[in-house]
Amino acid sequence: MPQWEEHCRKIHARAVDLLQGRAGVIETARTMSKLRYWTGLNEDPDLLTFVGIDSETDTLPVGEVRKYWAAHALAREDVEIDRAEKLYAASAKQAAAALA
């Protein structure tokens, strides 16, 4: 039970991070997808919003993986990352607000 509670606290913290601009939409979606699985909240509609975003953006280099990418490839992908961040911002923030 304590680990489940810790994962729930992390869901809350990541939602607040997104809402306060400390984390991006894609980064948050990837974290929330894992936390949804670890908490067993597989049918939560707000967490499913993040699962969908994660699924749609899973090929984009966000976070630690960027250090393995060439600069010219990152420049190309950054355009797509920016587009996705803007496209999913409203639904992600709505879901984050409900989770927070």
Side-chain angles (χ1 to χ4, degrees), residues 25-26 29-30 33 48-58 84 88-89 91-93:
V25 171
I26 297 169
R30 290 180 182 173
S33 289
L48 287 173
T49 296
F50 289 108
V51 171
I53 294 168
D54 182 29
S55 176
E56 292 296 318
T57 62
D58 62 353
Y88 299 116
S91 60
K93 288 179 180 177

Side-chain angles (χ1 to χ4, degrees), residues 34-97:
K34 292 174 189 159
L35 291 168
R36 175 195 64 98
Y37 175 77
W38 293 336
T39 56
L41 299 172
N42 297 320
E43 302 303 318
D44 184 281
D46 297 309
L47 290 173
L48 287 173
T49 296
F50 289 108
V51 171
I53 294 168
D54 182 29
S55 176
E56 292 296 318
T57 62
D58 62 353
T59 62
L60 298 174
V62 175
E64 285 291 310
V65 298
R66 292 179 66 82
K67 66 184 173 186
Y68 301 110
W69 283 64
H72 71 280
L74 282 175
R76 180 187 67 239
E77 294 299 312
D78 283 346
V79 172
E80 192 60 28
I81 290 168
D82 185 59
R83 184 197 68 75
E85 289 279 332
K86 290 174 181 169
L87 177 65
Y88 299 116
S91 60
K93 288 179 180 177
Q94 182 178 357

